[in-house]
Amino acid sequence: MEDVLILAVESSCDETAAAVVKNGREVLSNVISSQIALHTLYGGVVPEIASRKHIEKINQVIEEALSQAGVRQGDITAIGVTYGPGLVGALLVGVAEAKAISFAAGIPLVGVHHIEGHICANYIENPDLEPPFLCLVVSGGHTHLVRVVDYGKYEILGRTRDDAAGEAFDKVARAIGLGYPGGPKIDKLAKEGNPEAIAFPRAKLVDAEYDFSFSGLKSAVLNYLNGCRMKGEPICEADVAASFQRAVTDVLVEHAVHGAKEFGMDKLAIAGGVASNSALRAAMAEACAKEGIRFYHPSPIFCTDNAAMIGVAAYYEYMAGTRSGLDLNAVPNLRLGER
Ligand code: KG4
Ligand code: ZN
């Protein structure tokens, strides 16, 4: 059979990314132009700046992805692009570019759901991983516990009611003065702290056992910091970071492992930016080993936003016959499983 080469484009938030993926799982190139340094000046992502930067970068990122893969545009079988969820202006840049290439080169266009991309990142380095499995998607914008029934077939067991896990990391990091993006900074600082120093709450939702809530935990950290400041007591930032991180990971691991057991899944994967958190990976590995569940996770570069994961998702959608028209639009609040 002839090789299927997917050119993938991702621009849903603050990374302009393009990749070439061969036959679904072999990443020939993965180019990411990050805007993090730019947004750090403002303490978070500024949507208008993100869109403008995507426009500036997208052509060179795509050219770089093709050249690193050693392929020409004419060799590409289909083009995959993230069309939601995300920032509408940012998404539009990738979608418009992908439509232009699809039209000019006469190749099929496949719109990809960003979260489906995150889940599919697990296929890249785990050749043995096949559905069904359970996947915990934890990123800056999403916290979902997903049952991967088959390729392209998903059931959401639980989601966050308020803040996403990554958002909580970013907000707590800002409160202790670590800057943006907070996740990696808390991860590093927590290594020097005691995770049992401060008892922060673990939210349990009685009516929906797989849903998450992180706003109470975030408020508890802010109240703790304010209390110390008002009483003039010293704050050990490393203990705050470690205790907060333990509270988040306890809930994530508990929900995911409980779900896996309840649904008889012997494979559990994690995905999204927070999946690169070292404490979460260690805790998940330990809990899965105890329960006889196989634990999967992407390398950190495939956890945070990238186009290789979009290329993998686009491959399976392409093979299943999914095609998008030139009327494909950005859908900022696209739900998983919808087209
Ligand atoms: O998946 P991603 O790149 O973008 C979204 O789709 O949202 O995730 C970014 C999020 C940010 O909130 C960032 O702070 C968090 O992932 N993150 C981490 C780590 N690395 C990135 N959170 C905890 N620990 C990390 N090591
Ligand atoms: Zn993402």
Side-chain angles (χ1 to χ4, degrees):
M1 217 173 80
E2 213 169 280
D3 287 335
V4 174
L5 285 177
I6 304 279
L7 170 64
V9 176
E10 153 67 40
S11 70
S12 66
C13 190
D14 58 349
E15 337 274 355
T16 319
V20 177
V21 176
K22 183 175 158 184
N23 299 330
R25 297 198 181 210
E26 193 185 333
V27 177
L28 300 186
S29 64
N30 186 35
V31 179
I32 304 168
S33 168
S34 176
Q35 306 176 0
I36 285 179
L38 192 64
H39 297 289
T40 300
L41 297 170
Y42 306 94
V45 177
V46 184
E48 179 61 22
I49 295 178
S51 317
R52 285 165 188 259
K53 210 68 200 165
H54 284 311
I55 294 175
E56 260 175 52
K57 294 280 174 189
I58 196 146
N59 280 314
Q60 80 195 65
V61 165
I62 290 174
E63 273 168 32
E64 185 66 27
L66 289 169
S67 106
Q68 279 185 20
V71 300
R72 278 192 288 255
Q73 202 167 287
D75 304 325
I76 297 296
T77 317
I79 178 155
V81 63
T82 308
Y83 73 108
L87 302 168
V88 68
L91 288 164
L92 271 172
V93 177
V95 169
E97 179 83 12
K99 288 201 284 194
I101 295 175
S102 161
F103 180 69
I107 53 174
L109 176 69
V110 181
V112 173
H113 192 290
H114 183 75
I115 304 219
E116 177 171 20
H118 274 302
I119 294 170
C120 289
N122 278 286
Y123 295 134
I124 298 170
E125 296 151 298
N126 298 302
D128 65 312
L129 179 62
E130 304 242 20
F133 61 94
L134 200 66
C135 188
L136 173 72
V137 186
V138 271
S139 72
H142 314 276
T143 306
H144 282 47
L145 189 60
V146 181
R147 215 173 133 193
V148 182
V149 182
D150 201 346
Y151 291 108
K153 202 160 168 235
Y154 307 94
E155 274 173 31
I156 298 176
L157 299 187
R159 54 161 59 88
T160 183
R161 296 286 182 91
D162 37 61
D163 291 351
E167 200 178 345
F169 269 94
D170 293 337
K171 287 177 179 169
V172 165
R174 189 189 299 185
I176 50 180
L178 297 177
Y180 176 85
K185 293 185 172 145
I186 289 199
D187 193 345
K188 191 159 168 239
L189 182 61
K191 292 190 173 42
E192 294 156 29
N194 173 7
E196 274 148 28
I198 311 153
F200 289 131
R202 279 92 168 133
K204 255 202 161 51
L205 299 159
V206 276
D207 53 333
E209 56 181 337
Y210 298 115
D211 276 358
F212 303 90
S213 168
F214 294 109
S215 69
L217 169 60
K218 176 194 66 191
S219 301
V221 176
L222 299 183
N223 288 341
Y224 174 83
L225 293 171
N226 286 336
C228 289
R229 283 174 191 140
M230 273 162 64
K231 287 183 266 177
E233 287 171 5
I235 296 168
C236 175
E237 278 94 2
D239 282 352
V240 176
S243 302
F244 159 77
Q245 183 172 268
R246 175 63 66 82
V248 175
T249 52
D250 273 0
V251 172
L252 294 176
V253 171
E254 208 268 325
H255 277 49
V257 171
H258 177 59
K261 281 164 63 182
E262 201 76 356
F263 285 87
M265 299 274 182
D266 56 359
K267 290 175 274 183
L268 179 57
I270 55 173
V274 183
S276 56
N277 183 268
S278 58
L280 175 64
R281 291 158 93 100
M284 207 58 110
E286 192 189 325
C288 286
K290 208 181 279 173
E291 300 292 342
I293 299 168
R294 282 207 63 173
F295 172 53
Y296 297 87
H297 56 79
S299 291
I301 191 68
F302 298 124
C303 285
T304 43
D305 287 348
N306 65 87
M309 67 184 196
I310 303 302
V312 178
Y315 169 83
Y316 286 106
E317 291 288 354
Y318 173 80
M319 295 308 274
T322 303
R323 302 289 183 270
S324 304
L326 290 176
D327 59 349
L328 182 71
N329 206 348
V331 184
N333 55 359
L334 184 67
R335 293 171 79 95
L336 191 63
E338 266 178 18
R339 285 218 76 86

